[in-house]
Amino acid sequence: MTSTIATVTAAPLPGAVLPGAVPADGTFTQAWLLIALPLLGAAVLLLAGRRADRWGHWVGVAASAGSFVVGLLLLIGLLGRDAEDRVLDLHLFRWIPTGPLDVDAGLRIDPLSLSFVLLVTFVGTLIHVYSVAYMEHDVDRRRFFAYLNLFVAAMLVLVLADSYLLLFVGWEGVGLASYLLIGFWNQHTPNAVAAKKAFVANRIGDLGLLIALMLMVATFGAVDFDTVLAAAPGAGEGVLTAMGLMLLLAACGKSAQFPLQSWLGDAMAGPTPVSALIHAATMVTAGVYLIVRSGPIFEGAPTAQLVVVIVGAITLLFGAIVGCAKDDIKKALAASTMSQIGYMVLAAGLGPIGYAFAIFHLVTHGFFKAGMFLGAGSVMHGMDDSVDMRRFGGLSRYMKITWLTFAAGWLAIIGFPGLSGYWSKDLIIEAAFTGEGWRPWVFGSAALLGAGLTAFYMSRLFFMTFHGRRRWDDGHGAEQDVAAAPVRHPHEAPLLMVVPMVVLAVGSVALGGLLALGDGFVTWLEPVTGHVEHHEPVLPVWLIIALTMLLVLVGAFLAWRQYAVSTVAVPAPAGSALTRAARRDLHQDAVNDTLLVQPGQYLTRSLVYGDRTVVDGAFTGLGKVLVGAGDAARRVQTGFVRSYASTMTIGLVVLGVVVLATRI
Amino acid sequence: MNLEGLPLLTVLIVLPLVGAVVLWALPAGLRERVRTVAVVVTVLELVVGLAALTAFDTAAAATHQLTETHPWIPAIGASYAVGVDGVGLLLVLLSVLLTPLVVLASDRTTAGSADRLRHYLALVLVLEAFMVAVFAARDVFLFYVLFEAMLIPVYFLIGVFGGVQRRYAAVKFLVFSLAGGLIMLVAVIALYLQGPGGPEGFLTTRLTGLEMPVLTERLLFLAFFLAFAIKAPMWPVHTWLPDAAQNATAGTSTLLVGVLDKVGTFGMLTLCLPLFPDASRWAAPVIIVLAVVSVLYGALLAIGQQDLMRLIAYTSVSHFGFIVLGIFAFTSVSVQGSALYMVNHGLSTAALFLTAGFLVSRHGSQRIADYGGLQKVTPVLAGTFLVAGLSALSLPGLSTFVSEFLVLVGTYARSGPAAVVAVIGVVLAALYVLIAYQRVFTGPVRPELAATPDLSGRERWVVAPLIALMVVFGFYPAPMVDLVREPSQGTLQQVGVDDVAPTQGLLVGTGTDDEGSTT
């Protein structure tokens, strides 16, 4: 049916000539196992109860690892096929057969979804292993693993779905897992509040996805990728713009992009492995996936694309600025995540030229950011769960492996030549400099400036934690005159935590280069993103690279001078107006509070009062009037009866009200 | 087993009545086992209900099946005529499913004493009989009589077994219902006079497709609609429900909101639309506005509640808004969504009321502020409440999502602004569910709650079937959709509106018959 549509629609835009999906066969018919394994793991862990406390976590690890193995087999299968045959659809079952709208549940296996599958299950399995040790002393470790497995299953539904509706199931599923895991230690009220905040902010985004679904049904009569994406080039720009903006709203909620970014920092209330897996490597990047997957919609809606790029640019700077001021190691990393996803969204908004780069950066970021979060978890593990970097310092001597693996992530994210982040981020900066008119200058400069800021805040984080003077007491007194320094006994984490960190560090160093070999990764994605000829940036490429390097060096140098060489003040100095604003996340909560929360609470209170007094009052008041009228009518006996029924009506109402008034 | 000859619907109506008589006549020695007897009766009823499902031909879901027609009062044209189409069957099944769970959930503390429990359960059985009958009635007079007769058991269930203000709540319920019902009675008689009359003059088939003066049809429609809107309940005639739910037992509220109120939306779908098609189209724009108001108003009020049961009642006002919205959007997708919504909301709200009831029975307070931190103490209760809450906020993967999605996309095709405004209810739903969960189950454990027992085995058996069904029909709703698809399309034909075709489908769908080219 795809071909039928293609023949009657206008010629698709360049870059949007995508191969249609072919039915899955052979190994690919087993792709449902990817989702079934972790789902089964979650079900077993939740239903088995306390009986499974001793071994439950290994079930969780096995489920995730099993899913990864299936993913590998599918990768081998897909690599064995011609590029144009690498988009497969696996039909699962009739889902919602309403007649005019028939939605089937099915999986889309293609280079894009499989890249996600491998990222999610590989990093996911490592984080499962890490959590076995990290959560060892938690009485609810089994439940933690159940939620992690639930997350993996939902995330795989999200990326493997062959329709927007099934994607939505995964989309809200990961939201639920995120809610459960942010609030995992919910006996502490702020954690529960943070979980709720994340869910509600996500729901505001989901509203966008729901409206996009409505638009798709009204426009195309379908919600599956095949039909919608093939028909999109023939639809009007107005409806595509609306669809694109609604999808962007959804992406903003899930990926913590401006203006729905406020939940991500608070989400750090969850256990650190959760922050690594869900709030850094995978779930928060789902918005980027959604935009890339919906390419043909955005390509027909240049306005929506422009808004995507603007949102990406704002968020990448927003996150970077906030990251420069945070003293909480996890919140600084969260701000960095937001900023890095801003890069990806920016790239995705550039159209086919940026899709592959966005996904490339997403994959490398998944490695180095997850690695750094696990590193932060290791530091917290050694420092009695403290997250205040002003109370860290000099830890490189105490936690050598953590220090080294973290260094790999740090160098990767700032774009040190040859490491993973260098390959992927550089491509985005170059792409941001392509185009016509004012755009390449504005967006290119934003991307460039972001690179410098990234170098500064990540170096700041790295030096404050691992270098400089010790701002804690190792039991033999504080190193200097640090007042009330807490006693800590930092030590290297156990093997189960160290191994995943090392593996991710290797990925942070080498993965980018490997995938960049011969444009391998970009070519691999072409069946989904389309082939794009190279565009020349408005500046020479060598100049862009040189400028990026210069800014990175400046950023890193400033951080080194301020946080490794000079002494770091333990109570944070007052700071400039910008610093103070950045510490408060540029006042995002104050803005939301004023614009949404307070008016909402006022409205709710007024309505509750009005329901009692006005709406209900009207009926009880009417009752009293009828009693009076009924009494009067009975006394003077002048009522002419029009029908039995109407007499009965009034009579019974009167009777009822009398009863009501006297309260039998 | 050959089910052809058995009058299954009559069996379904009579069996609980017999059960009620048995309970009332139970010898003193057996009265300690009264719940067991009631469970046996209601499970038997459930089995008969499933037999009816197997006897039902899904391929012909639009036609009434399992029909029986006997003269009742030929002098006034009333017949005992029962039969169900796919929608009616689903609601009958919902009734016979929820009743055993409500019975199992009740115990001595619910009713006050062992003897009071006997009366309570007998009334529940009487109510079950009426509920099944009203969804099966194919005679307008019979429907009306049952519509009113249901009030009697509910009045006593609230007024005798409820909370502090039970009498006030019971009478308020009665007055609202009677006011609507009696206005409807006028319309029922007037409708008969418009029809062909005769000994079977009240059969719905005889009263469908009548030629009526415009004004008459509109007035009759409004009378029926008002009765149904009060029952449903819609804004602004909803104010009896929070009081009823606050004061009734959790079991009563489950049946009241989960099943009984569906008679309102069921009536709109199966009586208002086919009997008064022109007037339905005439009134639809205003009703859609009222429905959207209900969606948002109910949700906002739910957010502001301090009492757990009132909160659940207001969530239902919001959900009934969605159901009415889907019915009056007049697209086959939205109408199917509404039909499914009636069933799924029944499961969801039952899970909420019953779980909340278990919670309340542990400490005797319905005030949300009296709780805190219970997740650590009673993880199973917390998990169950959360799943029930997630179904109330229509989380994908649970059955409520399917229906809400269909209502929204179906409505959008007819009335974009209504759907877009209503979708805000989705965000508000997240707030009312998660705020309540946060306040009851998270935070530090209160010392006085530290010894709260978790759900017992019996209580787990009450909620497990509900959760299982919500999950199963969340991922695999096709069997339910098969039951409502043809009836919904049939209803639209009776109303005389065409489905809305996708705008782009017209352009690209030529030559294909499996997509785009919708009717």
Side-chain angles (χ1 to χ4, degrees), chain A residues 132-480:
Chain A
V132 170
Y134 191 85
M135 300 296 286
E136 192 175 357
H137 302 294
D138 197 298
V139 290
D140 284 326
R141 178 166 63 167
R142 172 187 52 83
R143 199 158 50 81
F144 181 80
F145 274 86
Y147 295 163
L148 276 190
N149 270 357
L150 178 69
F151 167 75
V152 171
M155 189 70 202
L156 293 178
V157 171
L158 195 168
V159 296
L160 282 165
D162 75 342
S163 68
Y164 281 97
L165 192 59
L166 191 59
L167 178 148
F168 190 61
V169 174
W171 189 266
E172 289 238 316
V174 294
L176 170 67
S178 161
Y179 167 80
L180 293 169
L181 286 163
I182 295 170
F184 190 73
W185 290 318
N186 63 30
Q187 63 274 39
H188 188 49
T189 304
N191 296 356
V193 173
K196 183 187 67 188
K197 182 178 180 183
F199 195 94
V200 172
N202 268 288
R203 268 256 150 164
I204 295 174
D206 296 351
L207 199 136
L209 197 43
L210 270 174
I211 296 176
L213 280 165
M214 295 180 200
L215 283 162
M216 286 171 196
V217 173
T219 313
F220 307 121
V223 291
D224 60 296
F225 292 152
D226 255 354
T227 313
V228 170
L229 298 182
E237 191 182 327
V239 70
L240 290 180
T241 304
M243 248 181 243
L245 291 176
M246 287 301 119
L247 291 173
L248 174 63
L249 179 63
C252 285
K254 194 59 75 195
S255 294
Q257 297 294 291
F258 182 82
L260 293 178
Q261 78 288 353
S262 74
W263 63 271
L264 186 61
D266 293 7
M268 295 301 118
T272 306
V274 171
S275 313
L277 178 60
I278 302 185
H279 304 118
T282 56
M283 182 192 86
V284 284
T285 59
V288 182
Y289 171 80
L290 182 69
I291 295 171
V292 171
R293 180 58 88 191
S294 312
I297 293 174
F298 283 97
E299 281 143 41
T303 315
Q305 273 186 317
L306 178 61
V307 179
V308 173
V309 179
I310 292 173
V311 164
I314 291 177
T315 313
L316 89 85
L317 292 176
F318 190 116
I321 292 169
V322 170
C324 292
K326 287 287 181 187
D327 291 330
D328 176 324
I329 186 169
K330 285 184 73 181
K331 293 202 171 178
L333 284 172
S336 159
T337 302
M338 197 175 140
S339 170
Q340 295 299 311
I341 298 173
Y343 271 107
M344 302 171 208
V345 169
L346 187 154
L350 295 172
I353 183 178
Y355 293 154
F357 303 159
I359 301 298
F360 187 13
H361 193 53
L362 191 158
V363 171
T364 58
H365 174 261
F367 275 77
F368 56 69
K369 186 55 67 61
M372 284 192 284
F373 261 112
L374 295 190
S378 174
V379 169
M380 290 164 64
H381 186 260
M383 297 288 280
D384 301 335
D385 286 333
S386 168
V387 288
D388 184 4
M389 294 192 292
R390 293 197 178 271
R391 286 291 183 188
F392 293 168
L395 284 173
S396 61
R397 269 172 289 152
Y398 300 84
M399 322 174 80
K400 281 263 187 302
I401 306 179
T402 305
W403 171 59
L404 283 172
T405 56
F406 206 105
W410 162 60
L411 291 173
I413 194 175
I414 68 173
F416 191 82
L419 270 61
S420 288
Y422 167 80
W423 301 104
S424 53
K425 199 195 301 183
D426 203 56
L427 288 171
I428 295 182
I429 298 175
E430 278 174 36
F433 271 109
T434 53
E436 285 163 12
W438 55 273
R439 291 180 195 182
W441 298 104
V442 171
F443 300 133
S445 308
L448 203 55
L449 180 62
L453 287 170
T454 307
F456 176 77
Y457 72 72
M458 282 314 304
S459 306
R460 171 180 180 271
L461 187 155
F462 184 73
F463 294 134
M464 272 178 99
T465 303
F466 293 102
H467 296 275
R469 66 166 178 163
R470 183 157 59 75
R471 297 178 294 279
W472 42 276
D473 185 341
D474 63 358
H476 306 289
E479 195 171 82
Q480 292 179 29

Side-chain angles (χ1 to χ4, degrees), chain B residues 79-411:
Chain B
S79 325
Y80 173 80
V82 290
V84 285
D85 64 358
V87 178
L89 178 69
L90 274 176
L91 288 165
V92 167
L93 288 173
L94 178 69
S95 316
V96 299
L97 172 79
L98 291 188
T99 313
L101 300 179
V102 166
V103 169
L104 190 60
S106 334
D107 58 17
R108 221 167 283 175
T109 50
T110 314
S113 72
D115 198 50
R116 281 166 62 88
L117 179 63
R118 190 164 57 94
H119 294 291
Y120 176 80
L121 294 178
L123 283 170
V124 167
L125 288 181
V126 172
L127 180 58
E128 181 177 29
F130 286 150
M131 291 189 306
V132 171
V134 80
F135 291 127
R138 286 188 307 113
D139 178 284
V140 176
F141 189 79
L142 178 65
F143 177 89
Y144 173 75
V145 169
L146 292 163
F147 186 78
E148 297 290 47
M150 287 189 312
L151 304 181
I152 300 164
V154 177
Y155 173 76
F156 287 109
L157 281 170
I158 300 175
V160 177
F161 299 96
V164 182
Q165 285 195 298
R166 57 182 179 274
R167 293 195 183 86
Y168 171 75
V171 172
K172 194 168 182 179
F173 161 77
L174 194 67
V175 170
F176 269 82
S177 302
L178 279 178
L182 289 163
I183 294 168
M184 188 175 140
L185 175 62
V186 181
V188 166
I189 296 166
L191 176 67
Y192 177 72
L193 297 177
Q194 296 289 324
E200 291 191 335
F202 265 118
L203 285 186
T204 42
T205 43
R206 299 285 172 92
L207 297 171
T208 310
L210 298 179
E211 291 291 328
M212 274 185 267
V214 174
L215 185 63
T216 311
E217 188 189 338
R218 287 180 183 177
L219 287 176
L220 293 183
F221 169 84
L222 287 177
F224 272 78
F225 182 79
L226 180 65
F228 294 145
I230 290 174
K231 184 72 65 179
M234 279 183 82
W235 183 86
V237 286
H238 64 277
T239 60
W240 63 269
L241 181 67
D243 286 319
Q246 181 181 5
N247 289 291
T249 65
T252 306
S253 297
T254 301
L255 294 179
L256 178 63
V257 184
V259 185
L260 211 107
D261 287 354
K262 302 297 173 354
V263 180
T265 44
F266 178 76
M268 291 178 197
L269 184 63
T270 56
L271 290 177
C272 279
L273 263 48
L275 297 183
F276 317 109
D278 295 334
S280 298
R281 291 202 306 275
W282 163 73
V286 176
I287 293 173
I288 284 179
V289 171
L290 288 176
V292 173
V293 171
S294 289
V295 168
L296 300 184
Y297 188 90
L300 284 167
L301 265 286
I303 294 172
Q305 293 308 306
Q306 308 295 322
D307 182 290
L308 206 48
M309 297 301 183
R310 287 184 78 87
L311 188 156
I312 302 173
Y314 278 109
T315 68
S316 291
V317 172
S318 181
H319 290 143
F320 277 106
F322 276 111
I323 301 178
V324 176
L325 181 64
I327 292 173
F328 282 90
F330 298 145
T331 66
S332 65
V333 172
S334 72
V335 173
Q336 288 178 63
S338 291
L340 295 176
Y341 212 129
M342 288 193 240
V343 182
N344 292 329
H345 173 261
L347 300 175
S348 158
T349 209
L352 266 180
F353 268 124
L354 292 173
T355 323
F358 294 148
L359 174 69
V360 170
S361 72
R362 279 157 169 72
H363 290 284
S365 170
Q366 296 182 180
R367 267 170 52 83
I368 295 170
D370 288 346
Y371 293 92
L374 275 177
Q375 197 267 332
K376 289 289 159 205
V377 186
T378 57
V380 179
L381 176 61
T384 321
F385 187 89
L386 185 62
V387 175
L390 293 173
S391 75
L393 62 77
S394 294
L395 188 85
L398 296 171
S399 58
T400 41
F401 168 70
V402 177
S403 30
E404 194 160 298
F405 168 75
L406 291 178
V407 166
L408 285 170
V409 295
T411 302

Side-chain angles (χ1 to χ4, degrees), chain A residues 42-113:
Chain A
V44 167
L45 292 178
L46 283 176
L47 296 177
R50 293 264 166 233
R51 275 161 291 189
D53 274 358
R54 278 189 300 117
W55 43 265
H57 43 281
W58 291 116
V59 172
V61 174
S64 179
S67 209
F68 173 66
V69 171
V70 177
L72 268 188
L73 292 175
L74 295 184
L75 174 69
I76 294 166
L78 216 53
L79 286 173
R81 301 170 73 100
D82 292 337
E84 58 269 25
D85 288 337
R86 284 184 186 160
V87 179
L88 298 120
D89 254 330
L90 173 62
H91 179 263
L92 292 180
F93 54 86
R94 296 162 69 223
W95 189 19
I96 310 182
T98 67
L101 173 68
D102 282 336
V103 188
D104 286 345
L107 303 183
R108 163 66 63 97
I109 305 142
D110 63 13
L112 178 61
S113 64

